[in-house]
Amino acid sequence: NSAGVAGYRLYREGVEGPLAELSGVATTSYLDTSVASATSYSYSVSAFDVAGNESERSESALATVEDTAAPSVPANLRSTSTSASAVELAWEAATDDVAVSAYRLFRDGQLLAELEGETLAYSDSGLSPGTSYSYSLSASDAAGNESPRSEPLEVTTPLLRPERPLGLQAAARPGENAI
């Protein structure tokens, strides 16, 4: 019943006083733009008349803001060590409005590993000597939002050194000034 109603006061749990005051009985919706991703909010509303009398608040209504923002692109993907059969990689942490939950590491365009969000290094082993590899990395959050991949990092494993020769023998030649 809107008889004698001059407007409504909207309350959000955790906010001191009304979040908004809506004038007129025709105004029955409000867009709250002061919310954060992946957060739940509890709202209630009361009606007031021209004399300033206010009704009891309504029952609470719960709303959750979806997380639709992807993390930033992981920065500074680099090789910290390279051998003939392994590459050690490291990168700077990506950022997210909620939290980074995982990294996806790609080698030559194919998924190589899925790593936990706190991981900032990886050892890729079992590689071939003298071979070039291209690495890139993306970050994702718990809502499934994934960043674009980082710029590719090109790494070439060194060739194996030849093995040391064994069994070298030297002998002087009798009657000659030579060995």
Side-chain angles (χ1 to χ4, degrees):
N1 181 358
S2 61
V5 173
Y8 300 97
R9 290 190 180 108
L10 179 66
Y11 296 89
R12 184 174 82 194
E13 186 177 323
V15 175
E16 184 74 29
L19 175 66
E21 191 166 294
L22 311 170
S23 297
V25 293
T27 307
T28 58
S29 66
Y30 178 79
L31 180 62
D32 186 357
T33 59
S34 64
V35 295
S37 291
T39 305
S40 294
Y41 296 92
S42 179
Y43 296 92
S44 61
V45 67
S46 67
F48 63 90
D49 62 20
V50 291
N53 300 310
E54 187 173 358
S55 72
E56 290 184 28
R57 292 185 191 176
S58 67
E59 290 187 22
S60 293
L62 186 66
T64 301
V65 180
E66 290 184 31
D67 179 7
T68 59
S72 65
V73 176
N76 197 20
L77 176 60
R78 62 199 178 278
S79 171
T80 58
S81 175
T82 304
S83 71
S85 62
V87 172
E88 302 289 330
L89 300 167
W91 55 90
E92 304 300 321
T95 58
D96 187 60
D97 59 342
V98 178
V100 173
S101 62
Y103 290 100
R104 293 169 51 110
L105 181 63
F106 299 86
R107 180 179 65 203
D108 298 331
Q110 301 298 313
L111 181 63
L112 174 63
E114 292 198 49
L115 309 164
E116 296 201 15
E118 299 82 32
T119 304
L120 299 176
Y122 183 80
S123 179
D124 187 14
S125 59
L127 302 176
S128 298
T131 305
S132 292
Y133 297 96
S134 177
Y135 295 94
S136 61
L137 184 69
S138 67
S140 61
D141 61 22
N145 302 307
E146 186 172 355
S147 75
R149 290 185 193 173
S150 66
E151 289 295 317
L153 171 68
E154 304 297 328
V155 179
T156 301
T157 53
L159 290 171
L160 288 173
R161 292 186 341 190
E163 291 187 25
R164 186 179 92 195
L166 301 175
L168 176 65
Q169 296 180 2
R173 298 178 84 178
E176 294 182 31
N177 203 10
I179 296 180

